[in-house]
Amino acid sequence: MRRRAIVVAGLAAGALAFAVAGYGGSYTSGVKGTSKKGGTITVLSNGDVDHIDPGQAYYQFTYAITYVTQRPLLAYKYNSVTPVPDLAAAMPTVSKDGLAVTVKIKHGIKFSPPVNREVTSADVKYAIERGFASSVANGYATAYFGVIKGAPAAPTKTVPNIAGIATPDKYTIVFHLAKPSGVFVGALQEPLTAPVPADYAKKYDTGTSSSYGNHQVATGPYMIQNDAAGKITGYQPGKTITLVRNPNWNPKTSWRPAYADKIVFKEGFDTTVGTKEILAGQADTNGDFPPPPAQIKQIESSSSQKKQIEFTSTSGSRYIALNVRKAPFNNLYVRQAVAYVLDRNAMRLTRGGVIDGKIATHFISPDFASVGFNQAGGFNFNPFPSANGSGDVAKAMALMKKAGYKSGKYNGPQVTMVSDNATPGSNTAAVVANSLAKIGLNVKTISVDHSAMYTKFCNVPKNEPNICPNVGWLADFHEPQTLLDPTFNGKNILTTNNSNWPLLNDPKINALMSKAELELNPETRYKDWGVIDQLITKTAAAIPWLWEQSPTLYSTKVTHASELWNGGEPDVSFMSVK
């Protein structure tokens, strides 16, 4: 979505070593028989987290860390997409009119040092409110929590007091909604609902940008290592993130077994080198990178190594974002020409070919079969078809002529593209540049670290280039709204931490989204979002190209536990050292 930009790649149907039975999602307890307490788990990543602050986090890899250090109201057991109570004592209750949602929280959950006190409902209220402040600028606050009465429509200079969040007692929180929302309860699993102590955090939340992330306290079984004053010492940007046990964690309040004593995330690894280290037992699992295609084929051909890899369906798609605010992509015909000319099959080959997944033709992915995918036309909806997905230059040139280019080719200024500087993203970007050259577009590629691609360029509208070729989206939770609303609704364009990468602000589509957001009947809601999916795809503001499976590789020293809800990220709170 979740939330979150897709950062891993995988293999797909036909190569599944890890079968997922449907998307009801069920917890599998198979690891318990061989699990034991103690030891260190080492996770390798290519890049860094997007934000260390849990209130700003919106990145798949970041969530794998956030969910074991923070406790939202709801959360997921591994191998599941069904949220269950975490900080909450039970599932929320909703009033008949859908305008009041009540949550009871557990007793006895305490913040880590140096706060060392019990969590109250007021801490949840403050956590959500700070997400609306410009110093935090949470990426999904307005999309899912903007429906709360009194919630700001735009970021505020200071942390607002949202009247619609009531705390009648220290263990009860009531959300009063301005209008019904079909997805509000589902949004309560987002880390924005993880408690933040106002008496401790307010001083860090002032100014242009909050520094709370570097002083954060935890409620989960693990915490980022800190000093006596609460300053984070276990985070070296781009290098390491070290998690240690939270001494105030009460296992009786949690379903997380938290076997390991320490979790070390080592960053900046080359994908080939990282894969070799995991296979050799020098590290234990991959975080934000997939093993390269050649190595995956090698692993799959080995009777012993293939037991070390699991594949997870990703709930969303990879796509290319075209900045509709800048010429030439402010012209619909030019964008549609790009959608026709792109060699999506060549792009897929950069990540392993057919075994990596199906070529995507719209945004709601196949794992949402009955909850939006079929309603959007399923595999039959493809507004920009070409043979084998390899592109149709003739149709693209015809559209360029409609855009005013008599030769069928662009003859204007060079366009800029900011891409991932590591494979396979860099290879994908090269295919995009070659495809666009066929219709005269001269692309200047700026290659940067994966996290910088988002945080410095694609997530910041004023710095956004013409093209962001390496973006993608995972569902925040199992509702089609979570795939389309944060990413294409004009109201969700933010000055920072923005996820509407094409900066699409189409009044008709915005209005249909506003209507669909109110729909409480699931079947009607899924149909509405299916129509919206088709309309967005036809704008070609973003061009989907892959529905994939992502691989998680484990060393032989640890048990396996993949986050089905998070695109296969390893759930370190369920893993153990053998």
Side-chain angles (χ1 to χ4, degrees), residues 216-430:
Q216 64 180 278
V217 287
T219 46
Y222 298 102
M223 56 186 273
I224 302 176
Q225 197 169 44
N226 65 8
D227 62 21
K231 185 177 180 180
I232 296 298
T233 59
Y235 175 47
Q236 299 180 56
K239 295 181 179 179
T240 59
I241 302 174
T242 302
L243 307 185
V244 295
R245 289 195 181 278
N246 173 3
N248 293 337
W249 178 62
N250 181 358
K252 293 181 180 179
T253 68
S254 178
W255 33 260
R256 293 188 182 276
Y259 298 113
D261 289 333
K262 182 186 286 188
I263 317 292
V264 179
F265 295 83
K266 293 185 177 181
E267 302 177 334
F269 269 80
D270 173 81
T271 58
T272 300
V273 173
T275 300
K276 288 180 179 179
E277 290 205 1
I278 296 167
L279 290 172
Q282 297 167 352
D284 297 309
T285 187
N286 55 311
D288 72 342
F289 69 84
Q295 285 177 296
I296 290 181
K297 290 177 181 178
Q298 171 194 323
I299 292 166
E300 282 288 280
S301 65
S302 167
S303 59
S304 57
Q305 289 183 347
K306 70 185 302 182
K307 297 176 183 177
Q308 295 178 235
I309 197 166
E310 294 185 350
F311 298 90
T312 306
S313 298
T314 57
S315 302
S317 61
R318 291 190 179 276
Y319 56 89
I320 295 163
L322 305 178
N323 189 337
V324 302
R325 290 184 180 178
K326 292 182 176 181
F329 301 127
N330 56 353
N331 185 302
L332 172 63
Y333 294 128
V334 173
R335 298 197 303 269
Q336 290 179 334
V338 171
Y340 264 118
V341 81
L342 279 176
D343 189 339
R344 303 186 205 196
N345 187 53
M347 293 167 68
R348 181 173 61 171
L349 285 170
T350 66
R351 310 192 84 89
V354 175
I355 58 173
D356 193 57
K358 292 183 178 294
I359 292 174
T361 58
H362 52 104
F363 295 96
I364 301 178
S365 49
D367 53 288
F368 277 60
S370 61
V371 293
F373 177 74
N374 292 339
Q375 291 85 342
F379 293 111
N380 294 320
F381 178 67
N382 184 4
F384 307 107
S386 64
N388 301 316
S390 297
D392 190 322
V393 178
K395 287 183 179 179
M397 290 182 67
L399 284 163
M400 291 299 289
K401 289 178 181 178
K402 283 189 175 183
Y405 301 97
K406 293 181 180 180
S407 69
K409 291 190 175 184
Y410 178 74
N411 55 13
Q414 188 178 52
V415 296
T416 59
M417 175 168 72
V418 174
S419 79
D420 202 326
N421 63 4
T423 58
S426 56
N427 294 336
T428 306

Side-chain angles (χ1 to χ4, degrees), residues 129-130 132-135 152 155-161 205-207:
E129 289 171 337
R130 69 187 292 272
F132 287 89
S134 58
S135 64
T156 54
K157 290 185 177 180
T158 59
V159 176
N161 177 22
D205 284 340
T206 58

Side-chain angles (χ1 to χ4, degrees), residues 526-549:
Y526 303 151
K527 182 179 179 181
D528 290 346
W529 286 105
V531 171
I532 292 167
D533 185 14
Q534 292 185 343
L535 292 174
I536 293 171
T537 305
K538 290 176 181 178
T539 70
I543 302 158
W545 61 276
L546 186 62
W547 291 314
E548 69 181 344
Q549 298 284 142

